[in-house]
């Protein structure tokens, strides 16, 4: 089916055959993943939307696509407005829209393996007001019309060494077993792919950018576990690593196994487990406790080995980025560099740094106006040259066995305008305010979010994304539960208390539609700080990312003495960490790029 219009038409025909008056299409898989395997890219196949968050609703005569502020521009470029209406989240939602647009008495389909229990309850209530019905489907109607749908990956698991993990899988499972006993529960369902990978100290290759394997795990109160995965994905090395404490089952046996837990008390996470899991357990007569997946917090709080791995990965990644920025400084002014060639060159530098397994997300390589598209994804159709007297925004990261990186730099090509320097410096001041923050243990990310925005607000400016997200250890580049974001934003999680050992991004920005974008992003580690006479346990941040910040975009008169000192000290550390890994012209360039203001 060559066109998105034809695909939409085919889906409507299938809905008619299935006696449905509509269908909801989320961008996720049966594990509620952010990045999903090609087999689960139903929203992209149907609409053309390439972002990492969104959903759609298809009715017989109209259709809508729902995205948040990060994708306002992108969705209009990728999805045909003749066939789809653009809806902005959180101002509205699929459930809100259905409340208005669903036909009275209609049957609206949903796939219970792709939605949370809470979403189902909200949508059901919304439709009830129209006398309409929310109907679970046994087979996803998109799968019925997607003729060349890819097969799920068959890639094998690999062992994640304890040197990097810092704790054995058996020890992790025993801690969960102890917790299950405290909850008077028999088992916990782990359906998030990074939870399974972290708990078992394994990694996979089933999803782009995230080293996870398609699987489900049930951890039992005796410390054993049941893993549900395609058997051919397990080699002898992984089987030996998992040992007798982990029973391996075919992935297709997961739902029948849930139905066998009658009379048991089972914990399932309402945020991470899909509605079908709850339906199977409750239908079998299990007692279901809705509690957070027991791996989430320990996974977010990095141990010493994980922190050391992050630091090593960041140092290598910083050298790759510095090499790239040096190359850019010489090549971009000559002309001939575009977004695609710049992203490819950065990839080359990362690969040369050693042990790169994947990028941690699609590199955002945005020249001029494309830099104002927050989650821009360059393609041959949108590719722009890096032009003189403009800004170039590059947000990228690597997956290494010892750590996951994520860094954004905004670079002046030629001479920036006074406005660009002003906006960049306001973003930098916000970045420094977060980096220098000292706060009591128990502080939430939402309480720190305004630190990053305050200097933009003073000029009547803001940005439509969170300031920081959690980051995994050779796992998800967007890892919960911690965030730095406004409470109630579409990227929720800003109300999670920050704890020592958590890693977050620090990435304020500013975007002028049609002209340029600015973002400065480093990763930061929450750590204890000693303060003489302190009456509370206090925390601060250690910056983990080492890459020069473009001094040509800094307006020194806008910086306080403390902010100037922070930038000069940061650049001195960049030279110390990254400098020894460079030689010749690149090393000399780094010294110059990092000299004091």
């Amino acid at each position: 089916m060559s066109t998105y219009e034809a695909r939409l038409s085919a889906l409507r025909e299938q809905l008619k055959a299935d006696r449905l008056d509509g269908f909801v299409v989320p961008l996720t898989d049966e594990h509620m993943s952010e990045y999903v395997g090609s087999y689960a890219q139903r929203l992209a196949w149907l609409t053309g939307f390439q972002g990492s968050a969104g959903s759609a609703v298809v009715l017989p005569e109209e259709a809508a696509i729902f995205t948040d502020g990060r994708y306002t521009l992108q969705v209009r470029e990728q999805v045909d407005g003749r066939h789809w209406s653009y809806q902005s989240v959180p101002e509205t939602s699929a459930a809100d829209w259905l409340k208005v647009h669903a036909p009275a008495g209609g049957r609206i389909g949903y796939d219970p393996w792709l939605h949370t229990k809470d979403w189902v309850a909200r949508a059901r209530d919304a439709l009830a007001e129209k006398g309409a019905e929310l109907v679970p489907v046994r087979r996803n109607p998109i799968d019925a019309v997607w003729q060349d749908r890819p097969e799920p990956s068959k890639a094998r698991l690999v062992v994640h060494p304890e040197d990097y993990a810092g704790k054995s899988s058996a020890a992790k499972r025993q801690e969960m077993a102890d917790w299950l006993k405290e909850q008077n529960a028999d088992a916990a369902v782990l359906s998030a792919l990074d939870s399974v990978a972290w708990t078992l100290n394994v990694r996979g290759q089933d999803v782009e950018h995230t080293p996870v394997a398609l699987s489900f795990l049930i951890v039992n109160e005796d410390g054993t576990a049941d893993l549900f995965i395609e058997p051919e994905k397990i080699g002898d090395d992984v089987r030996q690593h998992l040992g007798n404490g982990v029973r391996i089952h075919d992935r297709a046996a997961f739902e029948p196994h849930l139905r066998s837990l009658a009379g048991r008390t089972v914990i399932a996470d309402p945020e991470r487990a899909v509605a079908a899991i709850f339906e199977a357990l409750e239908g079998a007569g299990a007692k279901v406790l809705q509690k957070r997946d027991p791996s989430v917090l320990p996974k977010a709080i990095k141990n010493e080995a994980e922190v050391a791995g992050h630091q090593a990965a960041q140092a290598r990644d910083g050298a790759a980025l510095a090499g790239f920025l040096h190359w850019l400084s010489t090549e971009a002014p000559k002309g001939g560099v575009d977004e695609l060639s710049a992203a490819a060159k950065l990839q080359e530098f990362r690969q040369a740094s050693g042990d790169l397994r994947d990028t941690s997300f699609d590199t955002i390589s945005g020249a001029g106006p494309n830099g104002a598209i927050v989650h821009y994804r360059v393609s041959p159709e949108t590719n722009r040259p890096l032009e003189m007297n403009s800004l170039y925004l590059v947000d990228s990261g690597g997956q290494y066995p010892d750590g996951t990186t994520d860094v954004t730099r905004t670079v002046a090509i030629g001479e920036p305008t006074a406005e660009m320097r002003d906006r960049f410096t306001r973003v930098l001041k916000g970045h420094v305010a977060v980096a220098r923050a000292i706060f009591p243990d128990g502080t939430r990310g939402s309480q720190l979010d305004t630190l990053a925005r305050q200097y933009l607000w003073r000029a009547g400016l803001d940005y439509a994304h969170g300031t920081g997200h959690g980051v995994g250890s050779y796992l998800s580049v967007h890892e919960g539960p911690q965030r730095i974001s406004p409470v109630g934003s579409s990227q929720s999680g800003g109300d999670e208390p920050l704890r020592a050992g958590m890693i977050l991004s620090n990435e304020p920005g500013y975007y002028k539609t049609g002209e340029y974008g600015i973002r400065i992003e480093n990763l930061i580690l929450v750590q204890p700080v000693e303060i003489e006479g302190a009456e509370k346990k206090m925390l601060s941040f250690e910056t983990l990312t080492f890459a020069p910040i473009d001094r040509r975009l800094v307006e020194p008169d806008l910086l306080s003495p403390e902010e100037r000192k922070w930038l000069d000290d940061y650049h001195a550390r960049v030279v110390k960490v990254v400098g020894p890994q460079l030689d010749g012209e690149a090393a000399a360039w780094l010294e110059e790029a990092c000299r004091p203001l």
Side-chain angles (χ1 to χ4, degrees):
M1 245 169 275
S2 57
T3 69
Y4 294 111
E5 185 179 1
R7 293 173 185 182
L8 182 59
S9 176
L11 176 60
R12 284 183 165 134
E13 286 301 312
Q14 184 64 41
L15 295 181
K16 209 181 289 180
D18 293 346
R19 293 178 42 251
L20 293 171
D21 301 298
F23 189 68
V24 183
V25 187
L27 198 176
T28 191
D29 59 12
E30 53 274 43
H31 308 276
M32 298 307 295
S33 307
E34 176 183 20
Y35 296 115
V36 301
S38 55
Y39 79 97
Q41 293 276 0
R42 297 176 180 92
L43 186 68
W45 178 84
L46 180 65
T47 68
F49 178 62
Q50 298 293 326
S52 63
S55 62
V57 177
V58 176
L59 299 177
E61 302 298 332
E62 53 186 333
I65 186 162
F66 302 80
T67 57
D68 64 39
R70 296 171 293 173
Y71 298 108
T72 303
L73 301 177
Q74 182 176 335
V75 71
R76 283 162 173 77
E77 289 187 355
Q78 294 176 340
V79 179
D80 191 337
R82 292 174 304 162
H83 307 298
W84 298 88
S85 70
Y86 309 117
Q87 303 295 325
S88 183
V89 176
E91 289 77 21
T92 188
S93 68
D96 294 335
W97 190 85
L98 280 167
K99 196 188 296 185
V100 177
H101 295 266
R107 288 164 47 85
I108 307 298
Y110 77 100
D111 186 336
W113 284 97
L114 300 178
H115 296 276
T116 64
K117 185 182 181 186
D118 289 351
W119 181 89
V120 172
R122 284 197 310 275
R124 188 165 278 145
D125 289 348
L127 285 168
E129 295 185 25
K130 288 292 279 283
E133 184 186 358
L134 190 67
V135 181
V137 298
R138 287 303 295 172
R139 181 179 72 157
N140 193 304
I142 290 181
D143 299 351
V145 295
W146 185 356
Q147 288 158 356
D148 54 353
R149 181 173 167 234
E151 287 288 313
S153 160
K154 297 279 195 286
R156 286 195 162 196
L157 274 70
V158 295
V159 176
H160 186 56
E162 209 172 307
D163 288 355
Y164 294 145
K167 185 181 283 188
S168 72
S169 172
K172 292 176 180 179
R173 297 197 314 271
Q174 189 54 53
E175 286 175 8
M176 290 184 193
D178 295 342
W179 177 78
L180 285 168
K181 290 188 183 89
E182 289 170 17
Q183 309 300 319
N184 293 316
D186 300 301
V189 177
L190 274 56
S191 54
L193 298 180
D194 60 338
S195 295
V196 178
W198 181 87
T199 301
L200 297 179
N201 286 348
V202 293
R203 297 294 186 265
Q205 303 168 60
D206 291 353
V207 178
E208 271 191 304
H209 312 306
T210 310
V212 292
L214 296 169
S215 53
F216 295 97
L217 188 69
I218 296 177
V219 178
N220 304 296
E221 52 85 32
D222 61 359
T224 66
D226 292 279
L227 174 64
F228 299 85
I229 189 165
E230 296 296 346
E232 66 266 30
K233 298 172 74 64
I234 304 270
D236 290 343
D237 56 338
V238 171
R239 201 175 291 275
Q240 191 176 343
H241 161 74
L242 294 174
N244 297 333
V246 180
R247 292 174 289 273
I248 299 167
H249 311 265
D250 196 301
R251 183 175 159 86
F254 177 59
E255 190 176 5
H257 187 89
L258 294 176
R259 297 191 188 282
S260 76
L261 297 174
R264 304 285 184 86
T265 300
V266 182
I267 286 173
D269 186 333
E271 260 188 69
R272 294 167 180 83
V274 294
I277 290 173
F278 285 92
E279 287 166 15
L281 289 168
E282 288 164 358
K287 180 184 177 185
V288 184
L289 302 181
Q290 295 192 37
K291 292 182 183 292
R292 186 151 73 187
D293 166 344
S295 74
V296 167
L297 206 53
K299 172 159 51 70
I301 299 171
K302 310 298 183 258
N303 58 43
E304 283 182 19
E306 290 171 320
V307 170
H310 259 282
Q311 289 166 329
Q314 297 288 352
R316 291 196 308 279
D317 201 64
L321 191 58
F324 166 74
L325 292 172
H326 166 244
W327 172 85
L328 195 69
S329 73
T330 60
E331 295 303 315
K334 297 177 190 172
V337 176
D338 59 28
E339 294 168 344
L340 282 170
S341 64
K345 180 59 74 170
L346 176 53
Q347 177 85 340
E348 276 179 38
F349 277 102
R350 277 208 169 93
Q351 281 166 336
S353 73
D355 237 358
L356 180 76
R357 301 299 167 89
D358 196 355
T359 51
S360 53
F361 53 96
D362 284 314
T363 296
I364 297 170
S365 177
N370 286 344
I373 302 171
V374 177
H375 277 211
Y376 173 66
R377 185 174 176 180
V378 60
S379 67
E381 294 75 40
T382 63
N383 187 30
R384 287 181 65 94
L386 276 59
E387 295 170 338
M388 287 301 286
N389 308 325
S390 71
L391 296 185
Y392 170 62
L393 185 155
V394 57
D395 183 350
S396 66
Q399 289 284 12
Y400 305 91
D402 47 356
T404 299
T405 70
D406 182 3
V407 51
T408 309
R409 288 296 181 263
T410 306
V411 183
I413 311 296
E415 196 58 43
T417 65
E419 180 189 275
M420 290 170 179
R421 288 164 61 90
D422 174 89
R423 302 304 191 249
F424 184 91
T425 308
R426 288 176 188 277
V427 171
L428 175 62
K429 286 167 74 71
H431 179 96
V432 173
V434 172
R436 295 181 65 233
I438 294 175
F439 47 95
D441 189 25
T443 296
R444 288 152 164 75
S446 56
Q447 292 172 271
L448 303 181
D449 184 72
T450 53
L451 295 177
R453 299 177 194 269
Q454 58 183 317
Y455 304 103
L456 288 164
W457 284 354
R458 287 178 194 176
L461 311 168
D462 201 1
Y463 51 93
H465 58 77
T467 300
H469 55 81
V471 178
S473 280
Y474 187 36
L475 270 178
S476 299
V477 73
H478 297 145
E479 179 181 272
Q482 75 277 19
R483 294 190 63 85
I484 302 174
S485 64
V487 167
S489 73
S490 56
Q491 304 116 51
S492 59
D495 56 349
E496 180 71 29
L498 300 183
R499 296 167 173 87
M502 287 180 167
I503 292 174
L504 300 106
S505 64
N506 172 11
E507 51 177 310
Y510 169 72
Y511 311 91
K512 187 169 187 181
T513 301
E515 295 198 27
Y516 59 85
I518 293 165
R519 188 157 65 249
I520 304 169
E521 177 185 19
N522 288 338
L523 298 190
I524 50 179
L525 169 70
V526 183
Q527 59 179 8
V529 60
E530 295 295 328
I531 297 174
E532 198 176 332
E535 296 178 359
K536 288 186 160 208
K537 183 180 170 189
M538 302 298 287
L539 300 172
S540 65
F541 293 120
E542 174 194 333
T543 295
L544 297 172
T545 304
F546 295 105
I549 292 169
D550 194 341
R551 293 164 65 265
R552 296 167 302 162
L553 282 165
V554 179
E555 189 57 69
D557 292 347
L558 287 178
L559 295 182
S560 69
E562 293 84 1
E563 290 164 342
R564 290 180 70 138
K565 181 179 186 312
W566 183 92
L567 185 61
D568 289 344
D569 289 350
Y570 174 72
H571 275 148
R573 292 210 317 286
V574 171
V575 170
K576 186 176 176 183
V577 171
V578 172
Q581 302 176 72
L582 303 177
D583 46 35
E585 289 180 11
W589 173 86
L590 184 73
E591 288 275 356
E592 173 61 23
C594 292
R595 65 182 168 81
L597 274 182

